[in-house]
Amino acid sequence: MGDVAKDLTAGTVGGASQLICGHPFDTIKVKLQSQPVPLPGQPPKFSGAMDAVKQTIAAEGPRGLYKGMGAPLATVAAFNAVLFSVRGQLEGQLRSQPGVPLTVNQQVVCGAGAGIAVSFLACPTELIKCRLQAQSALGQSSSAGVTVKYGGPMDVARHVLKSEGGTRGLFKGLVPTLAREVPGNAAMFGVYELLKQQFAGGTDTSNLGRGSLIVAGGLAGATFWFSVYPTDVVKSVIQVDDYKNPKYSGSIDAFRKILAAEGVKGLYKGFGPAMARSIPANGACFLAYEITRSSLG
């Protein structure tokens, strides 16, 4: 099996593990991010993460926490395969000779390059996911401008292609997606390598135990979200914005309006669920990737 095929396979297994562990947290994050700003004197739809969980389960049952998982599940293989295989190819380009471990800085470069590649897959996938996750919250507000109810991922894709500018509509939010994925993956893979080397006491990390890999992966994933979270909020509000009556003209406009209406706090809506998700989900992802990659030789 070639290195690319091994990275593709291991990335697929890692991504599936990440999705299963993390999707309910992601659903709550997007609902908190995309809920309409309440009118003066009115409470928000969700008072916090636990309230969002309770309301979602009450209205939609436990399955509501997995709403929108069809789109990322259908593309998780491609997404993580691209992420890990591009990273693997960049590692090969930067490695001075076969088998030599890369430095932390080199892993940062590999992560940034992989982030560029996955952005073009992540953008349409997340647009579909965010529309499905947010529609129940947005549908409650007459000011949200949302009248379309989607039956599933394919229904969202059909609607966007037909009514929102064709293929270009699926790439709404590409700029903030790139602004999230490039620095986020650079930080994540850099921190992952740094922690592995710290745990191993040197650059040879091949004998690390599963516990160390879970901790390193979990903290690396938390670093991703901690470093780019406001960008993710901007991406989410742009992707669920109404096409015919848009509230935001672009990323900078969305950033300014969120800051003006809700302050810095508005840029961190859903931060708790995102951080709660990142540690177990990314710990599972990196562990599954490393075990699968190692078993393939």
Side-chain angles (χ1 to χ4, degrees), residues 79 82-83 112-126 171 173-183 185 239:
F79 181 90
V82 169
L83 181 68
I116 294 172
V118 298
S119 293
F120 292 92
L121 184 59
C123 185
T125 300
E126 295 214 358
F171 286 89
L174 179 61
V175 171
T177 300
L178 281 162
R180 183 192 72 177
E181 292 294 328
V182 176
N185 279 295
Q239 290 187 322

Coordinates of all heavy atoms in Angstrom, one line a residue, residues 79 82-83 112-126 171 173-183 185 239:
F79 N -13.0 14.4 3.2 CA -12.4 15.5 4.0 C -11.1 15.1 4.7 O -10.1 15.7 4.6 CB -13.5 16.0 5.0 CG -13.0 17.2 5.8 CD1 -13.2 18.5 5.3 CD2 -12.4 17.0 7.0 CE1 -12.7 19.6 6.1 CE2 -11.9 18.1 7.8 CZ -12.1 19.4 7.3
V82 N -8.3 13.9 2.5 CA -7.5 15.0 1.9 C -6.6 15.7 2.9 O -5.5 15.9 2.7 CB -8.5 16.1 1.3 CG1 -7.8 17.4 0.9 CG2 -9.2 15.5 0.1
L83 N -7.2 15.9 4.1 CA -6.4 16.6 5.2 C -5.1 15.8 5.5 O -4.0 16.4 5.5 CB -7.3 16.7 6.4 CG -6.6 17.4 7.7 CD1 -6.4 18.8 7.4 CD2 -7.5 17.2 8.9
A112 N -0.9 24.0 7.7 CA -1.5 25.1 6.9 C -1.8 24.7 5.5 O -2.8 25.1 4.9 CB -0.5 26.3 6.9
G113 N -0.8 24.0 4.9 CA -1.1 23.5 3.5 C -2.3 22.6 3.4 O -3.1 22.7 2.4
A114 N -2.4 21.7 4.3 CA -3.6 20.8 4.3 C -4.8 21.6 4.6 O -5.9 21.3 4.0 CB -3.4 19.8 5.4
G115 N -4.8 22.7 5.3 CA -5.9 23.5 5.6 C -6.5 24.2 4.3 O -7.7 24.3 4.1
I116 N -5.5 24.6 3.5 CA -5.9 25.2 2.2 C -6.7 24.2 1.4 O -7.8 24.5 0.8 CB -4.7 25.7 1.4 CG1 -4.0 26.9 2.1 CG2 -5.1 26.1 0.0 CD1 -2.7 27.3 1.5
A117 N -6.2 23.0 1.3 CA -6.8 22.0 0.4 C -8.2 21.6 0.9 O -9.2 21.5 0.1 CB -5.9 20.7 0.4
V118 N -8.4 21.4 2.3 CA -9.6 20.9 2.8 C -10.7 22.0 2.8 O -11.9 21.7 2.8 CB -9.5 20.3 4.2 CG1 -8.6 19.1 4.2 CG2 -9.1 21.3 5.2
S119 N -10.3 23.3 2.7 CA -11.3 24.4 2.7 C -12.3 24.3 1.6 O -13.5 24.6 1.8 CB -10.6 25.7 2.7 OG -9.8 26.0 3.8
F120 N -11.8 23.8 0.4 CA -12.7 23.7 -0.7 C -13.7 22.6 -0.6 O -14.7 22.6 -1.3 CB -11.9 23.6 -2.0 CG -11.1 24.9 -2.3 CD1 -9.8 25.0 -1.8 CD2 -11.7 25.9 -3.0 CE1 -9.1 26.2 -2.0 CE2 -11.0 27.1 -3.2 CZ -9.7 27.2 -2.7
L121 N -13.4 21.6 0.2 CA -14.4 20.6 0.5 C -15.3 20.9 1.7 O -16.5 20.7 1.8 CB -13.7 19.3 0.7 CG -14.5 18.0 0.9 CD1 -15.4 17.8 -0.3 CD2 -13.7 16.8 1.2
A122 N -14.6 21.6 2.7 CA -15.3 21.9 3.9 C -16.4 22.9 3.7 O -17.5 22.9 4.3 CB -14.4 22.4 5.0
C123 N -16.2 23.9 2.8 CA -17.2 25.0 2.7 C -18.6 24.5 2.3 O -19.5 24.8 2.9 CB -16.6 26.0 1.7 SG -17.7 27.5 1.6
P124 N -18.7 23.8 1.1 CA -20.1 23.4 0.8 C -20.7 22.4 1.8 O -21.9 22.4 2.0 CB -19.9 22.7 -0.6 CG -18.5 22.4 -0.7 CD -17.7 23.4 0.1
T125 N -19.8 21.5 2.3 CA -20.3 20.5 3.3 C -20.9 21.2 4.5 O -21.9 20.9 5.0 CB -19.1 19.6 3.7 OG1 -18.7 18.9 2.5 CG2 -19.6 18.6 4.7
E126 N -20.1 22.2 5.0 CA -20.6 22.9 6.2 C -21.7 23.8 6.0 O -22.6 24.1 6.9 CB -19.4 23.7 6.9 CG -18.3 22.7 7.3 CD -17.6 23.2 8.6 OE1 -18.0 24.3 9.1 OE2 -16.8 22.5 9.1
F171 N -20.5 27.6 -2.3 CA -19.2 28.1 -1.7 C -19.3 29.4 -1.0 O -18.4 30.1 -0.8 CB -18.1 28.1 -2.8 CG -17.6 26.8 -3.2 CD1 -18.3 26.1 -4.3 CD2 -16.6 26.2 -2.6 CE1 -17.9 24.8 -4.6 CE2 -16.1 24.9 -3.0 CZ -16.8 24.2 -4.0
G173 N -19.3 31.7 2.0 CA -18.5 31.5 3.2 C -17.1 30.9 3.0 O -16.5 30.5 4.0
L174 N -16.6 30.9 1.7 CA -15.3 30.3 1.5 C -14.2 31.0 2.2 O -13.2 30.5 2.7 CB -15.1 30.1 0.0 CG -13.7 29.5 -0.4 CD1 -13.5 28.1 0.1 CD2 -13.5 29.6 -1.9
V175 N -14.3 32.4 2.1 CA -13.2 33.2 2.7 C -13.1 32.9 4.2 O -11.9 32.6 4.7 CB -13.5 34.7 2.4 CG1 -12.5 35.6 3.2 CG2 -13.3 35.0 0.9
P176 N -14.1 33.0 5.0 CA -13.9 32.7 6.4 C -13.6 31.2 6.7 O -13.0 30.9 7.7 CB -15.3 33.0 7.1 CG -16.3 33.1 6.0 CD -15.5 33.5 4.8
T177 N -14.0 30.3 5.7 CA -13.6 28.9 5.9 C -12.1 28.8 5.7 O -11.4 28.1 6.5 CB -14.3 28.0 4.8 OG1 -15.7 28.1 5.0 CG2 -13.9 26.6 5.0
L178 N -11.5 29.4 4.7 CA -10.1 29.4 4.6 C -9.4 30.1 5.8 O -8.4 29.6 6.3 CB -9.7 30.2 3.3 CG -9.8 29.4 2.0 CD1 -9.8 30.4 0.8 CD2 -8.7 28.4 1.8
A179 N -10.0 31.2 6.3 CA -9.4 31.9 7.4 C -9.5 31.1 8.7 O -8.8 31.3 9.7 CB -10.1 33.2 7.6
R180 N -10.4 30.1 8.7 CA -10.5 29.1 9.9 C -9.5 27.9 9.7 O -8.8 27.6 10.6 CB -11.9 28.6 10.0 CG -12.1 27.7 11.2 CD -13.4 27.0 11.2 NE -13.5 26.0 10.2 CZ -14.6 25.2 10.0 NH1 -15.6 25.4 10.7 NH2 -14.5 24.3 9.0
E181 N -9.6 27.3 8.5 CA -8.9 26.1 8.3 C -7.4 26.2 8.2 O -6.6 25.3 8.7 CB -9.4 25.4 7.0 CG -10.8 24.9 7.1 CD -11.0 23.8 8.1 OE1 -10.1 23.0 8.3 OE2 -12.1 23.7 8.7
V182 N -6.9 27.3 7.6 CA -5.4 27.4 7.4 C -4.7 27.6 8.7 O -3.9 26.8 9.1 CB -5.1 28.5 6.4 CG1 -3.6 28.7 6.3 CG2 -5.7 28.1 5.0
P183 N -5.0 28.7 9.5 CA -4.3 28.9 10.8 C -4.8 27.8 11.8 O -3.9 27.4 12.6 CB -4.8 30.3 11.2 CG -6.1 30.5 10.5 CD -6.0 29.8 9.2
N185 N -5.6 24.6 11.3 CA -4.8 23.3 11.1 C -3.3 23.5 11.4 O -2.7 22.6 11.8 CB -5.1 22.8 9.7 CG -6.4 22.0 9.7 OD1 -6.6 21.0 10.3 ND2 -7.4 22.6 8.9
Q239 N -23.2 31.6 6.2 CA -23.7 30.5 5.5 C -25.2 30.3 5.7 O -25.9 29.7 4.9 CB -22.9 29.2 5.9 CG -21.5 29.2 5.3 CD -20.8 27.9 5.5 OE1 -20.9 27.3 6.5 NE2 -20.0 27.5 4.5

